[in-house]
Amino acid sequence: MTRFASAAMLASWTGVAPGNNQSGLATHPAPTTHGNRWLQGALGDAAAAAARTRNTYLNAYYQRLVRRRGKKRSLVAVMHKIIIST
């Protein structure tokens, strides 16, 4: 982990950091960056498995987001939560 100064930099390198598209005070959604596709695949599998587990923090986080954001965006958010927790 010494290659990355922070967990946010690791998330950015992985490609699961949230995009930022800002104009004045208005922020607009932006796509995630391209990252390491092998690590993204492994994180996607881990996030999908974590979203299906019962009575866990990641499942509750996924369920809160899926109501508002949809399934795919919620999975990316869980991927981000997993990578920054290390």
Side-chain angles (χ1 to χ4, degrees), residues 1-84:
M1 294 303 296
T2 59
R3 291 185 181 263
F4 302 100
S6 67
M9 287 185 178
L10 173 61
S12 178
W13 179 80
T14 305
V16 294
N20 185 16
N21 185 5
Q22 185 173 359
S23 175
L25 295 177
T27 58
H28 307 287
T32 58
T33 59
H34 297 287
N36 187 328
R37 74 175 105 184
W38 300 103
L39 186 54
Q40 276 185 350
L43 276 175
D45 291 343
R52 284 191 304 267
T53 58
R54 297 292 177 215
N55 300 324
T56 61
Y57 171 75
L58 290 175
N59 175 263
Y61 182 71
Y62 175 78
Q63 293 301 325
R64 278 194 312 268
L65 288 178
V66 78
R67 290 184 207 123
R68 290 180 287 137
R69 308 287 288 166
K71 292 180 181 179
K72 290 186 179 181
R73 285 182 187 236
S74 299
L75 277 178
V76 173
V78 172
M79 290 166 61
H80 182 259
K81 187 68 77 171
I82 289 172
I83 198 72
I84 64 170

